[in-house]
Amino acid sequence: MAKKSPPKKKGFSKFILWFWALFGTGVLLVALIFLMASWGVFGDMPEYQYLENPETNLATEILSSDGVTLGKFYLDDNRTPISFNELPDNLIHALVATEDVRYYDHAGIDARGFLRALVFLGKKGGASTISQQLARQLFIGARDKKSTTNAITQKIKEWVLATQLERQYTKEEIIAMYLNIYDFGYAADGIRSAARIYFGKEPIDLRTEESAMLVGMLKNSSLFNPLRREELVFNRRNTVLGQMAKYGYLSIKEKDSLQNLEIDLNFSPESHREGLATYFRMYAQRWLNNWVKEHPKPDGEKYNIYLDGLKVYTTIDSRMQKNAEDAVEAHMKNLQAEFFVQNTPERNPTTPFMDLEPEAINSIMERAMKASQRWRAMKRQGISENEIRASFNEKTEMNVFDWNSDSYEKDTVMTPLDSIRYYKTFLRTAMMSMEPQTGHVKAWVGGVDYKHFQYDNVIQGERQAGSTFKPFVYAAAIDQLRYSPCDSLPDTQYCIEPMKHGNMEKWCPKNSDGKYSLKKRTLKNALANSVNTVTAQLIDQVGPGSVVEIAKNMGLTKEIPPVPSIALGTVDFNVYEMVGAYGTFANQGVYVKPVMITRIEDKNGTVLYEYVPETKDVLSKDVAYTMVNLMEGVTQGGSGTRLRHTFGVNNHVYKDVVTGYPYELTNPIAGKTGTTQNQSDGWFMGMVPNLVTGVWVGGEERSTHFKGLDYGQGASMALPIWALYMKANYENEELGVSTDAFEEPEDLSINVDCTKIMEEIKKETDTEDDLEDLDF
């Protein structure tokens, strides 16, 4: 007899049917949601091309020749994207462990995370994956917490866009995009800016605890602000470190050790007025604004230097730039202290102006007041002139520059008119350093502090060149008359008669000290000691027109009148052109126009601009080398000798203002000091074979100056900056600044060995005292 089969359990079968029905319904519902989203039921969705190329505002990045970011140009978004390969592993691990532990296992939506959030109402963690967070950042915006309907709609959009992003990009690309797009506060847009601003380093150099802090900020950078809520950020960072240990990225021992570390910030805000090479960056900004006008995009639209993410490659070396800024800071702080000592109201009742009548001072102040930003702003507002003038005499709170305060600024109360006079007490400076063979500018300092003194004295400022113009006179004489450094001319009062060389009256220049040796001086000695009478004889022999022609060919674009007085540097020039001109001497007679920007790329790496050198043959190799030999005499026994000697260590001038003395530089150096009438300007132009550097120091007004030559000459005001800068360069052998001799041309046709000539001159002199200026 057959056994009867047991009856089927109808309840279990019913459960199976319901499960598959619900599962199928869920799948269909999800498919329907995605389909409806594609139809726009939940609002506009980005087109495919926007998914492929999401629109983000990218800052233009200014890069040094050694690969350091000097600064950025941006409006609201200080963002410079980097690739996944530029992110450290500890940052990736912290992100995945904290934000999306199953990141590599899902396709944009974490089902387990969603169910957990649904069951526990988000109390045990949210469900947003990294891909969803990126979708929200790129296309959706902040979640609407006031409207449940809008919040659900936004969530659906996140799901759809996250899956589309996962199909479009690799997991690594999505992580990089997410970290590049996030706003970490304080203009730290993206992980690269965040690493630089909060820790002063590139992302790849972040330590584990630093990466953990930044990842912790992803939850809410406004809330988890390390500058305002250090304890909260400390706890959040430790939560991230705990997550890293939980998922095997750190050992328990490592986690405990890192959690005990304090938050160690190196807060370095990136603004247009702070950081390295501020004056140069503002020059680059002006240059780029002009460049984009003449070089539109392929569609005719103009590039936006604040939004289009251009990469601008420059010649500036960040290390040499730092050396230059340090040298300027050290000397100018010291020099200014002495200037204040000599210009107290008791010593100088018209301080900071020297020997001016009240009418002249009032004229200066009136001009400065009307040129001020305050005057212009109030004028635009339609305020009457009487009201504007009255406002300049009302005391107000302000932040001013001060060498003796932290960060070189202080809060004070004074009238705007007093603040104008206060700022005119500060000496100004300019410095530029260039590689003569290529024209590449390696350092550029336009003033003492860009935040408070925004006028760029390197290229905007022009001042009398003084004796630094004399080498152009000597170059004309050597080029045309084949003079040698060993040839000699008498040091006596010399006059050029009226109606000669465009002179209306007789021109009889005096030596700076009013003395004449009444003996012959070699050209080398005369240039080394800036003897005006010899320079006057030379320009008389070659004519001012020849000097003007040589100066123009060497890059001096200023209109130079063809009159004898130009020999003493009466014409105004800027440091930029003077350095370029002196580069001709160091580059064997070939002028190379200074260049600062070598290449521009768009955000995709396409080259938009490449520099083409501008050169001109001006002097023969023999003449150029002879000029270098002449200027070597300046540092061997002339006005630049303090670069080498140590005998002035007890001299009050050296103690007070020759910052860093003694320098004890022993390598070949060619140079020229310059001092203008009343010590209004101090110059030093210095050269070694592969670096030419020019320095100028003076007041904003020509009447702001030292009373005497001891402190007011170029050797005291400008030369110390050059010396400090070069010593710092030589301490870093990687910079490759030359200590070699200048290259002598083969078969040199001009005699530069003055030994025999000196022997003959010695025979003609009566006493040892007569030889004091003829020692080479």
Side-chain angles (χ1 to χ4, degrees):
M1 184 176 173
K3 292 183 179 179
K4 292 182 179 181
S5 300
K8 293 182 178 181
K9 297 180 180 178
K10 292 183 180 182
F12 181 74
S13 299
K14 190 175 181 180
F15 173 78
I16 295 296
L17 288 173
W18 272 105
F19 171 80
W20 285 110
L22 288 173
F23 179 79
T25 301
V27 171
L28 289 172
L29 184 61
V30 170
L32 180 61
I33 287 172
F34 274 74
L35 186 62
M36 292 170 68
S38 68
W39 291 340
V41 173
F42 304 113
D44 293 334
M45 299 286 281
E47 299 290 339
Y48 174 79
Q49 60 266 31
Y50 290 111
L51 286 174
E52 190 174 30
N53 297 291
E55 287 187 354
T56 56
N57 294 334
L58 304 178
T60 286
E61 187 175 12
I62 310 299
L63 294 161
S64 70
S65 61
D66 55 321
V68 173
T69 298
L70 295 175
K72 300 176 186 177
F73 301 138
Y74 59 91
L75 292 177
D76 298 316
D77 296 338
N78 176 22
R79 180 175 292 105
T80 303
I82 58 175
S83 67
F84 182 84
N85 293 333
E86 297 173 89
L87 299 172
D89 289 341
N90 58 44
L91 181 67
I92 307 304
H93 297 160
L95 175 66
V96 171
T98 307
E99 296 293 326
D100 192 354
V101 71
R102 286 176 291 278
Y103 176 68
Y104 292 102
D105 300 325
H106 62 67
I109 301 174
D110 182 4
R112 286 175 58 186
F114 173 71
L115 289 173
R116 181 194 64 218
L118 195 63
V119 171
F120 295 101
L121 301 177
K123 293 180 180 179
K124 292 193 175 183
S128 288
T129 63
I130 292 172
S131 306
Q132 288 175 240
Q133 293 180 52
L134 174 61
R136 186 191 312 146
Q137 291 279 339
L138 284 174
F139 306 112
I140 299 172
R143 188 170 296 159
D144 188 348
K145 296 181 180 181
K146 294 181 180 180
S147 171
T148 304
T149 303
N150 288 343
I152 293 172
T153 300
Q154 287 180 322
K155 195 66 181 178
I156 291 171
K157 285 184 178 181
E158 283 181 24
W159 290 342
V160 175
L161 291 172
T163 56
Q164 290 178 331
L165 287 171
E166 290 271 354
R167 291 199 300 269
Q168 186 67 37
Y169 299 99
T170 66
K171 289 286 188 180
E172 290 75 16
E173 289 172 330
I174 288 173
I175 283 179
M177 289 172 68
Y178 176 55
L179 291 173
N180 282 326
I181 200 69
Y182 193 80
D183 179 0
F184 290 86
Y186 297 103
D189 299 301
I191 190 63
R192 184 160 187 251
S193 293
R196 288 169 56 85
I197 288 173
Y198 288 111
F199 297 110
K201 59 181 66 175
E202 293 297 323
I204 197 68
D205 299 319
L206 289 170
R207 299 194 300 268
T208 300
E209 70 274 14
E210 295 168 341
S211 291
M213 190 202 88
L214 293 175
V215 167
M217 292 176 69
L218 294 171
K219 187 172 184 179
N220 184 332
S221 59
S222 296
L223 177 63
F224 296 100
N225 181 326
L227 298 180
R228 298 174 59 189
R229 301 182 181 91
E230 185 175 348
E231 184 178 354
L232 189 66
V233 173
F234 176 84
N235 292 334
R236 175 64 182 163
R237 181 206 66 179
N238 285 353
T239 297
V240 174
L241 292 170
Q243 289 292 103
M244 294 178 73
K246 178 179 179 180
Y247 293 106
Y249 295 116
L250 292 175
S251 67
I252 297 299
K253 183 178 180 180
E254 288 173 326
K255 181 207 72 168
D256 292 341
S257 176
L258 292 172
Q259 286 182 333
N260 286 325
L261 296 176
E262 296 293 327
I263 298 289
D264 184 18
L265 296 179
N266 179 15
F267 187 63
S268 309
E270 292 185 347
S271 75
H272 303 311
R273 295 187 175 194
E274 297 171 309
L276 195 66
T278 46
Y279 288 95
F280 172 76
R281 281 154 41 199
M282 291 304 102
Y283 162 80
Q285 184 183 53
R286 296 192 299 270
W287 189 95
L288 284 169
N289 281 328
N290 290 326
W291 180 84
V292 298
K293 293 176 184 176
E294 300 174 4
H295 300 82
K297 297 178 182 179
D299 61 4
E301 185 181 348
K302 191 168 75 171
Y303 284 102
N304 190 316
I305 68 170
Y306 305 103
L307 304 175
D308 286 340
L310 302 177
K311 282 190 180 294
V312 181
Y313 294 87
T314 76
T315 60
I316 298 292
D317 186 295
S318 68
R319 299 160 296 180
M320 297 174 76
Q321 179 68 30
K322 180 68 165 55
N323 292 343
E325 293 185 11
D326 288 347
V328 165
E329 178 183 344
H331 180 59
M332 293 304 293
K333 183 178 182 179
N334 195 28
L335 187 68
Q336 188 68 51
E338 179 60 29
F339 185 80
F340 283 146
V341 168
Q342 296 187 25
N343 282 273
T344 61
E346 293 76 23
R347 291 189 175 189
N348 179 16
T350 59
T351 186
F353 314 110
M354 185 70 67
D355 300 326
L356 283 190
E357 296 297 325
E359 294 78 10
I361 295 174
N362 291 338
S363 178
I364 290 173
M365 297 299 291
E366 175 79 6
R367 186 179 68 249
M369 181 171 62
K370 289 187 174 180
S372 70
Q373 186 177 354
R374 180 187 185 89
W375 180 285
R376 295 196 303 270
M378 295 179 76
K379 199 74 174 174
R380 285 194 298 268
Q381 295 170 19
I383 300 174
S384 71
E385 186 167 315
N386 287 337
E387 289 177 295
I388 296 175
R389 287 183 181 278
S391 75
F392 272 84
N393 289 294
E394 296 175 0
K395 288 191 175 184
T396 182
E397 294 181 356
M398 59 180 70
N399 180 268
V400 298
F401 180 78
D402 179 43
W403 276 118
N404 297 317
S405 299
D406 292 340
S407 302
Y408 296 140
E409 57 184 7
K410 66 179 181 180
D411 294 326
T412 188
V413 176
M414 65 174 72
T415 70
L417 197 60
D418 286 341
S419 74
I420 291 175
R421 190 159 186 153
Y422 172 78
Y423 273 104
K424 288 187 181 296
T425 64
F426 288 96
L427 297 172
R428 314 300 169 88
T429 188
M431 175 185 183
M432 193 179 99
S433 191
M434 183 192 79
E435 190 177 77
Q437 290 76 23
T438 63
H440 287 191
V441 174
K442 312 310 289 184
W444 175 304
V445 185
V448 295
D449 183 277
Y450 182 79
K451 184 176 180 181
H452 293 278
F453 305 93
Q454 294 176 22
Y455 190 74
D456 187 348
N457 290 290
V458 167
I459 199 163
Q460 293 176 317
E462 293 182 342
R463 294 297 284 262
Q464 285 187 338
S467 293
T468 57
F469 190 81
K470 288 177 180 176
F472 304 113
V473 180
Y474 278 70
I478 293 169
D479 185 46
Q480 292 185 24
L481 307 177
R482 309 307 289 177
Y483 267 131
S484 157
C486 310
D487 290 328
S488 57
L489 291 171
D491 177 15
T492 59
Q493 177 92 56
Y494 187 85
C495 294
I496 297 178
E497 61 267 27
M499 309 309 294
K500 185 178 182 182
H501 302 315
N503 257 9
M504 298 303 293
E505 299 178 355
K506 181 171 65 172
W507 185 61
C508 304
K510 298 179 180 180
N511 287 336
S512 61
D513 59 1
K515 299 177 182 178
Y516 311 95
S517 68
L518 305 180
K519 300 292 182 180
K520 285 186 175 181
R521 286 182 181 265
T522 64
L523 296 191
K524 191 168 188 177
N525 175 273
L527 183 63
N529 292 281
S530 280
V531 180
N532 291 340
T533 57
V534 173
T535 310
Q537 294 173 66
L538 292 177
I539 200 167
D540 189 20
Q541 292 177 27
V542 299
S546 299
V547 177
V548 171
E549 183 180 3
I550 277 185
K552 290 286 187 185
N553 288 334
M554 293 171 71
L556 299 182
T557 61
K558 184 75 178 289
E559 186 66 32
I560 307 173
V563 295
S565 60
I566 64 172
L568 305 187
T570 55
V571 182
D572 292 356
F573 299 104
N574 60 34
V575 171
Y576 168 81
E577 289 191 351
M578 286 293 284
V579 171
Y582 268 67
T584 309
F585 298 130
N587 192 34
Q588 300 184 320
V590 179
Y591 168 74
V592 182
K593 185 176 180 179
V595 57
M596 288 70 71
I597 295 173
T598 56
R599 190 170 81 254
I600 301 173
E601 295 177 358
D602 68 12
K603 63 182 180 182
N604 299 314
T606 303
V607 176
L608 305 176
Y609 165 84
E610 277 194 295
Y611 167 73
V612 177
E614 297 180 43
T615 65
K616 187 173 187 176
D617 291 341
V618 181
L619 304 171
S620 68
K621 289 184 178 181
D622 286 9
V623 172
Y625 180 76
T626 302
M627 284 304 306
V628 168
N629 180 272
L630 274 169
M631 286 187 281
E632 283 185 288
V634 173
T635 67
Q636 292 167 346
S639 55
T641 313
R642 62 184 64 183
L643 288 172
R644 305 188 183 285
H645 68 54
T646 60
F647 60 73
V649 290
N650 295 317
N651 181 289
H652 66 98
V653 178
Y654 290 83
K655 285 182 177 180
D656 293 340
V657 299
V658 185
T659 313
Y661 181 85
Y663 308 115
E664 300 181 275
L665 295 169
T666 58
N667 56 291
I669 299 169
K672 187 70 191 80
T673 57
T675 308
T676 62
Q677 190 173 12
N678 296 326
Q679 302 77 243
S680 292
D681 307 277
W683 290 79
F684 185 71
M685 307 294 298
M687 301 183 290
V688 295
N690 65 348
L691 197 65
V692 177
T693 305
V695 183
W696 166 85
V697 175
E700 181 184 20
E701 303 293 334
R702 296 179 196 269
S703 56
T704 301
H705 56 77
F706 282 101
K707 190 170 185 177
L709 272 172
D710 280 353
Y711 295 94
Q713 63 178 299
S716 296
M717 291 210 294
L719 179 145
I721 293 176
W722 190 92
L724 293 170
Y725 168 66
M726 292 300 290
K727 287 193 73 173
N729 287 340
Y730 284 134
E731 288 172 4
N732 185 349
E733 295 183 0
E734 291 182 3
L735 296 177
V737 178
S738 176
T739 57
D740 298 333
F742 290 88
E743 183 180 352
E744 181 178 329
E746 294 182 9
D747 303 319
L748 179 64
S749 62
I750 301 173
N751 176 37
V752 296
D753 183 1
C754 302
T755 306
K756 292 182 180 180
I757 300 294
M758 291 305 302
E759 290 299 324
E760 294 177 8
I761 294 176
K762 285 180 180 179
K763 292 177 183 179
E764 297 176 6
T765 56
D766 299 326
T767 66
E768 287 296 319
D769 292 337
D770 295 329
L771 294 175
E772 63 178 351
D773 291 329
L774 294 171
D775 56 348
F776 52 87

